[in-house]
Each structure stands twice: as structure tokens, then as C-alpha cells.
Amino acid sequence: MTGVHQSGRHVIVSNRGHESLTIFRVKQCCGSKGKAMRGTLAQVGFFHTRGETPRHFQFDHSGQFLIVANQDSDTIAVFSFCLTSGKIKYTGNEYHIPSPNFICCCPMVDRYSDDDDNQAYEKVGYTVPAVEDNVSSTVPSSVVIDPTKKNSLDFQSELELARKEIGELKKQLSQLSRET
């Protein structure tokens, strides 16, 4: 499998026989004397996936964590991702899931909390702030969802937000394709 970080600055490739990920940095310069051309790849390194047969991987919504599905070892491993260097570091978070073969990351907001921070996230359309430098690289071990608190109006509003987000992503893709 091959994936691209949402910044467009890194390409990740899973190596199933080697049980690893290879990360490449995408060159951003224009290719003057001795420098690589823009868009060429430079290898950052190989990183073990902490399991067997890395079938799929996905960055979380913030781009700060890489989640890897190791199909034959029945595990999902979480790595922190350094955007500057392109290196990943195992967070110590591993989950036992029977034969995981796909990762889907969805931002979570507790709409029923009185917490002011959660309300701020809702107003900006589910964006997640950058993690401060000295914050531990951990991911919550569980999320509890109470389906009895949802109603059809919540689903309608979520659907409308999703449609708006898709429209915005289409605009961004269109702009990117015109730039290249």
C-alpha cells in the first residue's frame, strides 16, 4: 500500500514481506545546481510496523499519528509522526483486532459535553489543533459512544457538514491540479 501525508511532504509505502514502512520525503525545491527536482523522493528510512503483514495504514485527522493494521499478527499499532523529519516513533499503543485490513480515522467530538474546548472544535468543523511540543505522544485507549443520545437531527446536521467538507476538499484538489 502507498499513502501520502495530508501535507503532501511525505510518501509512505508498506513492505509486507519486510514487515515495515518506508517513508520518503517529497523534495520541495525547484532543482538548481546539485539539488533534486521538485517532486522527487528522498528516503527517510525503514520503520518496523510492530506486527506482521502491514495491510493498511492511515494518518489520524491531525496528521500527527500513523495507525497501522498488521493483518497476520491481529494488531493495530500507533506511531507518532514528526512532520519535520518524516520519522515515526512507536507510541506503545497496540490493539488486538482479528485480522485488521483497513484503517479509517474519524475525528471525535463529544457534542454532549459542557466542555468549552469541545464547543470550539464544533464551530470550526471538526478541525483538531496542533499538539504542543512537550505533550506526550499517546492516543486515547478507548472512545465510548452512546448511540441513545443521537437523534435524526444530529445525523442530518452531520451529513450536511460532511457534504460541505467534501465540497471544500474538491475545491482544494481542483486548485492543486491547476498548480501542477
Side-chain angles (χ1 to χ4, degrees):
M1 178 191 169
T2 305
V4 178
H5 187 271
Q6 53 257 50
S7 69
R9 295 170 52 189
H10 294 92
V11 174
I12 299 90
V13 179
S14 64
N15 305 301
R16 294 186 189 141
H18 192 251
E19 320 305 3
S20 66
L21 298 174
T22 304
I23 300 178
F24 298 93
R25 178 177 294 108
V26 179
K27 296 289 185 175
Q28 303 296 317
C29 59
C30 296
S32 61
K33 296 180 183 177
K35 293 191 176 186
M37 292 292 293
R38 181 179 182 185
T40 60
L41 302 178
Q43 184 177 331
V44 172
F46 292 97
F47 302 89
H48 193 273
T49 62
R50 311 290 291 198
E52 298 173 13
T53 315
R55 178 62 58 188
H56 194 258
F57 55 84
Q58 181 72 47
F59 283 98
D60 76 319
H61 187 68
S62 71
Q64 296 176 5
F65 295 97
L66 182 66
I67 299 101
V68 180
N70 293 304
Q71 186 175 22
D72 291 343
S73 58
D74 298 331
T75 59
I76 292 176
V78 181
F79 299 85
S80 61
F81 180 77
C82 178
L83 184 59
T84 306
S85 68
K87 294 181 178 180
I88 59 174
K89 182 179 178 185
Y90 180 59
T91 64
N93 295 331
E94 184 174 281
Y95 304 93
H96 296 279
I97 308 291
S99 192
N101 58 42
F102 185 78
I103 300 289
C104 180
C105 296
C106 302
M108 300 296 292
V109 175
D110 183 358
R111 294 176 185 267
Y112 302 101
S113 171
D114 292 331
D115 187 3
D116 290 336
D117 289 338
N118 277 332
Q119 292 171 5
Y121 297 152
E122 281 187 62
K123 290 176 186 171
V124 294
Y126 296 122
T127 57
V128 178
V131 174
E132 297 171 14
D133 291 341
N134 58 359
V135 174
S136 170
S137 296
T138 59
V139 175
S141 60
S142 65
V143 177
V144 177
I145 299 172
D146 185 356
T148 63
K149 291 185 178 179
K150 291 284 186 181
N151 63 40
S152 62
L153 291 176
D154 287 337
F155 289 124
Q156 277 295 73
S157 62
E158 287 180 25
L159 179 61
E160 187 58 35
L161 280 173
R163 287 181 178 147
K164 288 179 182 176
E165 188 173 338
I166 289 169
E168 184 60 35
L169 289 171
K170 286 180 179 178
K171 287 179 189 176
Q172 290 175 5
L173 282 172
S174 175
Q175 289 173 348
L176 286 173
S177 65
R178 279 185 261 160
E179 290 175 7
T180 55

